[in-house]
Amino acid sequence: MIVRIAPSILSSDFSRLAEQIREAEEAGAHAIHVDVMDGRFVPNITMGPVIVGACRRSTSLPLDVHLMIAEPERFIPAFADAGADYLTIHAEATPHLHRVLQVIHGAQVKAGLAVNPLTPLEIYRDALPELDLALLMSVNPGFGGQSFIPASLDRLSRLRSLRDELNPECVIEVDGGINAGTATRAVRAGAQWLVAGSSIFNQQASIAENLAALSAAANVSSG
Ligand code: DX5
Ligand code: ZN
């Protein structure tokens, strides 16, 4: 299976957002990853439904919206209306996970569940049948440009086994510190979609060059 790359616009130049998204699409990105942060669940504030709507008007790629917000149940309709294709909530963000996943599906949106680096993976044993996507955080959520936490590799392979056993339709996504160095190992451990922010949007090379390098590293290992 070809490993997919979902560029995170968190590291993009917001004064040229539509242009950067189009560049990523033309370079072969599979989805656009949108990092929503509320200053409560994580110590940073980023963007909301208005920006998701702007992304929607800029691309036909799926919008993979990562909600790093407390009480995500309050905002599902707004993000669904804005054009999200995937809405991923955090296991740590609400006591009502099952209900929120149902609300997401009720809005005809694909549902994802994310876990922080030390959250037990056991939750996926019950949650996987309800999921379209399982997102394993390989950094602490809140900021782009952090280093990949090595213990995430073992967690990825355990998550991949659970997924293979319980819901082989579910996509395994990894998020945080993914670059041409870490991508190969993450894919070998079981990741299918790679989120990448600072290794795609940076001053060192063009979006297309960065995406090609990451995709090559990711797919060399998938055999
Ligand atoms: C972190 C976000 C990530 C972030 C990844 O909280 O969820 O999606 O943008 O950035 P990099 O790829 O730079 O680690
Ligand atoms: Zn993210």
Side-chain angles (χ1 to χ4, degrees):
M1 180 186 162
I2 293 173
V3 179
R4 313 286 195 174
I5 314 285
S8 160
I9 59 167
L10 186 60
S11 295
S12 70
D13 176 354
F14 275 78
S15 68
R16 300 188 298 120
L17 180 59
E19 199 183 310
Q20 299 230 306
I21 289 175
R22 273 194 289 273
E23 223 174 302
E25 179 168 5
E26 280 162 22
H30 174 67
I32 298 297
H33 186 84
V34 184
D35 286 307
V36 177
M37 306 187 191
D38 66 351
R40 285 181 63 208
F41 180 67
V42 288
N44 194 8
I45 297 177
T46 56
M47 48 201 133
V50 169
I51 300 286
V52 172
C55 293
R56 183 68 296 154
R57 296 191 297 278
S58 309
T59 183
S60 55
L61 290 179
L63 297 180
D64 171 27
V65 179
H66 179 188
L67 297 178
M68 287 163 276
I69 63 177
E71 300 166 34
E73 53 271 28
R74 297 169 59 211
F75 295 99
I76 300 305
F79 284 103
D81 290 348
D85 296 283
Y86 289 80
L87 280 172
T88 295
I89 59 172
H90 263 264
E92 309 83 0
T94 173
H96 302 295
L97 287 176
H98 188 272
R99 181 185 300 156
V100 188
L101 294 170
Q102 278 184 318
V103 171
I104 294 171
H105 278 141
Q108 312 303 323
V109 176
K110 293 197 166 70
L113 181 66
V115 290
N116 285 340
L118 282 186
T119 297
L121 296 178
E122 202 53 27
I123 192 163
Y124 283 113
R125 189 166 281 287
D126 290 319
L128 264 161
E130 315 292 333
L131 300 181
D132 301 293
L133 184 145
L135 190 167
L136 189 114
M137 289 303 303
S138 41
V139 299
N140 287 298
F143 302 92
Q146 303 180 78
S147 299
F148 186 90
I149 298 170
S152 306
L153 292 173
D154 179 61
R155 283 168 61 77
L156 266 174
S157 54
R158 283 187 282 140
L159 173 57
R160 178 61 186 259
S161 303
L162 282 173
R163 170 263 188 203
D164 290 351
E165 176 192 345
L166 300 167
N167 182 2
E169 301 294 306
C170 181
V171 170
I172 304 294
E173 181 173 59
V174 64
D175 185 3
I178 295 294
N179 53 42
T182 53
T184 309
R185 286 180 287 150
V187 171
R188 286 202 178 120
Q192 299 169 305
W193 287 16
L194 308 180
V195 175
S198 54
S199 66
I200 296 287
F201 300 102
N202 57 44
Q203 302 301 316
Q204 280 77 60
S206 71
I207 293 169
E209 287 165 335
N210 285 330
L211 214 136
L214 191 55
S215 188
N219 286 294
V220 83
S221 54
S222 59

